[in-house]
Amino acid sequence: MAVLRAQAIMKIIVVIGAGGNQGGSVARTFLNLPHWKVRAITRNPSSPAAKALEVLGAEVVQANLSDPDTLSQAFHGAHAIFLNTDFWATYRSFVATTTPKEKGPLDGEEFDPGKVAYQAEVSYGRNAAEAAATVPTLECLVYSALPAMTKSTGGKYKSHHADSKGAIADYIETELPDLAKKTSFIYLGAYNTNALLSPVLDPSDGKYKYFLPLSKAARMPIINQKESTGLFVKALIEDEAPGTKLLAYDTNSYLTYEQIRDIWSRASGKEADFVTVTVQFMHEKFKTPMELIQSVPALEEYGYTGSMKVIEPGDLKTAVRTKSWEEWMMERDWKAILEA
Ligand SMILES: NC(=O)c1ccc[n+]([C@@H]2O[C@H](COP(=O)([O-])OP(=O)(O)OC[C@H]3O[C@@H](n4cnc5c(N)ncnc54)[C@H](OP(=O)(O)O)[C@@H]3O)[C@@H](O)[C@H]2O)c1
């Protein structure tokens, strides 16, 4: 009888991208909570990541963000949905499969992989939002977005991978008002593994250097995407009112580039210089795609969230404590990293 009663009050969270960085963190967090059942969504239920979640107790369900019918089935009976949309898989696949002739000028207008990935991601997000809007049991949707660059910088900078997520958030807020009343947004800081947090070895003098279109005063929020995402999503679902917009980053991990450089040096045991360069220099010298770097100067001019109003981890009703980026860096295998 007690078992039946416990089962009756269990809620279902549907996790999209459950085999990935963010979704995996959300799935593992909720699998540890006795009052939640986790429904892990994947396109491939026989993948190692899906199998591992099944072993931990998740119900694994096949669905595709490009196929609305599969989403309606996957969302049946859900009380909460965590939605993550991926930009980079479409971007990389377009770059890999389009022949050089078709590509036209690098990052040019006609065959811009950023535009293709933008359109795909927006359609995925809209499909998921429209399916979520029809779920009568739904109490909370959390969408993992990024601040819309063009909007939050008044048009000065653009970034397809941020603007796409901003467009999905706008769609929910303007076109699906009933769903919007149940929706919160999480804006993750830079992943702890983000290339913008590490210097490169300059072969001309053998020194490590941060080449960035920023000064050392620019600030970056940093998060351990695999460990911390779930903790913040739990706080949004269980403790915060819908409509919350949270900039999520780890404890003591909203850092200036001077601090980032100093932590990298303490952890690796190597000195690193900081060199302010232009976006064009990075694009030409390191072949960094414009999609990744064209909006980086906005970090200094407008801040990570631009003109958007967000709360930060310190504002949450229930504190979320995580390891800091510095603690995470100190635990890494620096011999292997420096030799790679
Ligand atoms: N790097 C950073 O610093 C940073 C910071 C903030 C936000 N982000 C954003 O994070 C996003 C990526 O998230 P992540 O790191 O968690 O990605 P990830 O580890 O690559 O996982 C992506 C997940 O999305 C699922 N997926 C992809 N296409 C799908 C589709 N059509 N239908 C259903 N599921 C689909 C995949 O599931 P299956 O393969 O199992 O189907 C996979 O589990 C990107 O959009 C990026 O812009 C990155």
Side-chain angles (χ1 to χ4, degrees), residues 20-32:
N21 291 309
Q22 299 183 27
S25 175
V26 175
R28 288 190 300 278
T29 300
F30 280 78
L31 281 165
N32 280 326

Side-chain angles (χ1 to χ4, degrees), residues 48-65:
K51 289 284 170 206
L53 287 170
E54 207 164 44
V55 169
L56 292 174
E59 175 195 5
V60 174
V61 170
Q62 187 170 28
N64 194 320
L65 288 168

Side-chain angles (χ1 to χ4, degrees), residues 234-271:
K234 174 181 179 294
L236 286 174
I237 290 176
E238 295 202 326
D239 305 324
E240 301 295 323
T244 301
K245 296 184 175 185
L246 171 68
L247 170 62
Y249 55 87
D250 286 334
T251 305
N252 297 328
S253 303
Y254 201 161
L255 304 170
T256 63
Y257 258 95
E258 181 151 35
Q259 293 169 315
I260 290 169
R261 191 266 316 262
D262 290 349
I263 288 172
W264 186 90
S265 286
R266 277 200 293 282
S268 67
K270 302 279 180 192
E271 282 189 10

Side-chain angles (χ1 to χ4, degrees), residues 17 20-22 42-43 64-65 84-85 87-88 165 189 191 194:
N21 291 309
Q22 299 183 27
T42 176
R43 290 164 297 176
N64 194 320
L65 288 168
N84 178 27
T85 49
F87 174 90
W88 294 105
K165 295 173 180 70
Y191 286 5
N194 192 306

Side-chain angles (χ1 to χ4, degrees), residues 8 26 38 42-43 51 54 65 76 82 116 119 132 134-135 152 161-162 172 178 242 247 250 280 305 332 335 337:
V26 175
V38 173
T42 176
R43 290 164 297 176
K51 289 284 170 206
E54 207 164 44
L65 288 168
H76 179 75
F82 171 71
V116 176
Q119 280 158 5
T134 66
V135 178
S152 67
H161 64 278
I172 293 171
D178 289 336
L247 170 62
D250 286 334
Q280 203 57 35
T305 50
R332 301 189 77 195
K335 190 170 177 298
I337 294 169

